[in-house]
Each structure stands twice: as structure tokens, then as C-alpha cells.
């Protein structure tokens, strides 16, 4: 039958595995470091993988393809859920999306330094657009240097937030499209942007602001700027 189905341009694929993580049907797998549509009958043609791809390697096409087999997809999901850890979206364990549950500190350990990160991955380009932890989330978008400059970053910023990090100077491309998809497709309660005082850090602030504007949503937001010596300056 002729139907809409995804097309992957392997020349653009950087092997991050974000599309495989975003594909709820399991139609995409990482093979030899590249994303491949391994099960055409698992692809529903809705394209959850498109906004997850940081290099725009995925598009739609209409061509001869097997019909979407929902029964097979559900059976595969059921079989996968029976495994201890499931199947990683690619060869790199770092792209395995998950929520992190943390136990409250005991009264005797209140002074202990513990991580407040509540999800993985946290890099903007790797996080799946429709990850369940985005639902009703307070979103933190931070330049990666901020956590090193500001000593109490976990408790003052990461706590009770879903955290996305990036470096606009070192990462290729623009974050705005990915962030727009995250804001548009999820119920985000609030947005906090944390950047360094250096000029290049303006890229992550501008991308977040454009994403908020493009999403068409009213979400409370604020920008916090950290100085290079680790102080909050605005």
C-alpha cells in the first residue's frame, strides 16, 4: 500500500540515538552507529522521531510500505517490558532515557551533598521530546558551565526541576527548534533559564525565549545569570 512513512538520511545522522528513544513503536534501531528504520510495519507515520533528531536527518515520504501493524507493536512492547532493563535505543548507554527517583535524606544526613538530577539524559540534543517526565514539569534550561561555577547549583536550581543543559558555543546548530517541540508537546508549568555572564551564553537564553514565543503558550519564565566567579548577578 502507498502510505506516509519516515525516511532517514544516513549522511546527516550523527548516531545520537535520540530518534530511536523517541520512537514509541520501536521501528527505529541503531545499526553500526546509524539510525535505521528496521521495521516498516512498526512505523505509524506520526513522526514522533522528527523533532527529536538534532541534525534534521528524518523526514516524511509517501511510498509503498507495509501497513502499520499495531498488534505486532503491542506484542513487541509487552515482550520488551518483561526484560530487566529493556533494549537500549543505541549502542551508547548514555542515551537510555529514564526518570530518577531519589529517597529523602535522613535527618542525620541533611548536610550531605546529594544529586538532585531527576532524569536522564539531560543534554538538550539527546533528550526525547515526548519523555514522560516533561508532564507538569518545572523546566530548567542551563548553560553547562553554570553548574561548575555556582557551588550550590543542585539544591538551588536542579531540585524539583527537569534539567536540560547545553553550550551554544560548542554545540552545532540551534536549540530553538528542539526546545519549541518540548514546550509545544508537553505540559510545562514553568521555565527557568540559567546562563553565564559571558556573551556567548546569550545563545541559550535567546533560543529558550524564541522557543517559548514559537510554542504560543503562556508559561511563567525567568532568567538567572551567573558570574564567572560563581555569584548570581541578576
Amino acid at each position: 500500500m502507498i502510505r506516509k512513512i519516515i525516511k532517514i538520511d544516513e549522511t546527516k545522522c550523527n548516531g545520537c540515538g535520540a530518534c530511536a528513544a523517541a520512537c514509541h513503536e520501536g521501528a527505529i534501531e541503531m545499526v553500526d552507529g546509524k539510525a535505521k528504520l528496521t521495521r516498516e510495519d512498526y512505523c505509524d507515520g506520526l513522526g514522533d522521531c522528527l523533532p527529536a533528531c538534532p541534525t534534521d536527518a528524518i523526514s516524511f515520504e509517501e511510498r509503498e510500505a507495509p501497513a502499520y501493524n499495531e498488534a505486532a507493536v503491542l506484542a513487541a512492547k509487552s515482550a520488551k517490558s518483561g526484560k530487566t532493563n529493556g533494549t537500549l535505543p543505541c549502542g551508547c548507554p548514555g542515551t537510555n532515557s529514564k526518570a530518577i527517583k531519589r529517597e529523602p535524606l535522613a535527618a542525620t544526613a541533611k548536610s550531605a551533598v546529594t544529586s538532585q538530577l531527576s532524569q536522564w539524559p539531560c543534554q538538550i540534543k539527546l533528550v526525547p521530546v515526548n519523555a514522560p517526565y516533561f508532564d507538569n514539569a518545572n523546566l530548567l534550561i542551563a548553560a553547562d558551565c553554570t553548574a561548575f561555577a555556582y557551588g550550590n547549583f543542585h539544591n538551588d536550581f536542579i531540585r524539583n526541576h527537569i534539567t536540560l543543559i547545553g553550550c551554544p558555543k560548542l554545540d552545532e546548530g540551534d536549540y530553538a527548534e528542539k526546545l519549541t517541540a518540548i514546550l509545544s508537546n508537553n505540559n510545562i508549568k514553568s521555565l527557568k533559564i540559567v546562563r553565564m555572564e559571558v556573551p556567548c551564553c546569550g545563545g541559550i537564553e535567546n533560543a529558550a525565549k524564541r522557543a517559548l514565543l514559537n510554542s504560543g503558550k503562556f508559561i511563567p519564565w525567568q532568567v538567572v545569570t551567573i558570574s564567572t566567579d560563581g555569584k548570581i548577578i541578576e
Side-chain angles (χ1 to χ4, degrees), residues 9-227:
D9 184 347
E10 292 187 16
T11 63
K12 293 183 178 180
C13 176
N14 67 1
C16 70
C19 60
C23 179
H24 304 298
E25 288 71 33
I28 302 174
E29 295 182 17
M30 303 305 296
V31 179
D32 296 329
K34 295 289 186 178
K36 293 184 182 293
L37 178 61
T38 57
R39 289 294 302 260
E40 293 183 349
D41 58 332
Y42 282 18
C43 178
D44 58 10
L46 297 179
D48 286 344
C49 54
L50 268 71
C53 179
T55 62
D56 295 323
I58 305 176
S59 59
F60 283 123
E61 64 177 346
E62 288 195 7
R63 61 173 174 82
E64 183 71 33
Y68 171 57
N69 190 340
E70 183 178 13
V73 169
L74 293 176
K77 286 183 179 180
S78 178
K80 183 182 293 185
S81 65
K83 299 178 182 179
T84 304
N85 294 317
T87 301
L88 293 177
C90 73
C92 173
T95 61
N96 190 19
S97 177
K98 61 182 178 181
I100 302 172
K101 301 294 184 182
R102 300 193 184 277
E103 295 296 327
L105 288 176
T108 57
K110 290 296 185 181
S111 61
V113 177
T114 59
S115 173
Q116 297 298 321
L117 188 66
S118 61
Q119 100 287 343
W120 190 262
C122 57
Q123 221 286 344
I124 294 173
K125 292 198 170 187
L126 294 181
V127 69
V129 168
N130 294 309
Y133 44 70
F134 281 130
D135 185 46
N136 207 35
N138 295 304
L139 186 62
L140 170 67
I141 300 174
D144 50 16
C145 290
T146 56
F148 293 94
Y150 188 81
N152 204 34
F153 195 83
H154 275 252
N155 286 324
D156 288 356
F157 293 109
I158 295 181
R159 184 196 293 270
N160 299 323
H161 285 77
I162 294 300
T163 303
L164 301 182
I165 65 168
C167 177
K169 186 172 184 178
L170 300 181
D171 289 342
E172 293 184 2
D174 183 13
Y175 299 129
E177 184 175 353
K178 181 72 172 287
L179 294 175
T180 298
I182 290 172
L183 296 178
S184 299
N185 292 293
N186 298 282
N187 180 29
I188 302 297
K189 291 197 302 182
S190 67
L191 173 62
K192 182 175 290 186
I193 306 158
V194 183
R195 54 163 293 182
M196 296 297 296
E197 63 175 329
V198 295
C200 59
C201 235
I204 201 164
E205 177 182 345
N206 291 334
K209 288 180 177 178
R210 282 188 285 125
L212 184 58
L213 180 63
N214 293 339
S215 73
K217 293 184 175 182
F218 177 78
I219 300 173
W221 64 278
Q222 70 172 122
V223 178
V224 178
T225 302
I226 307 295
S227 67

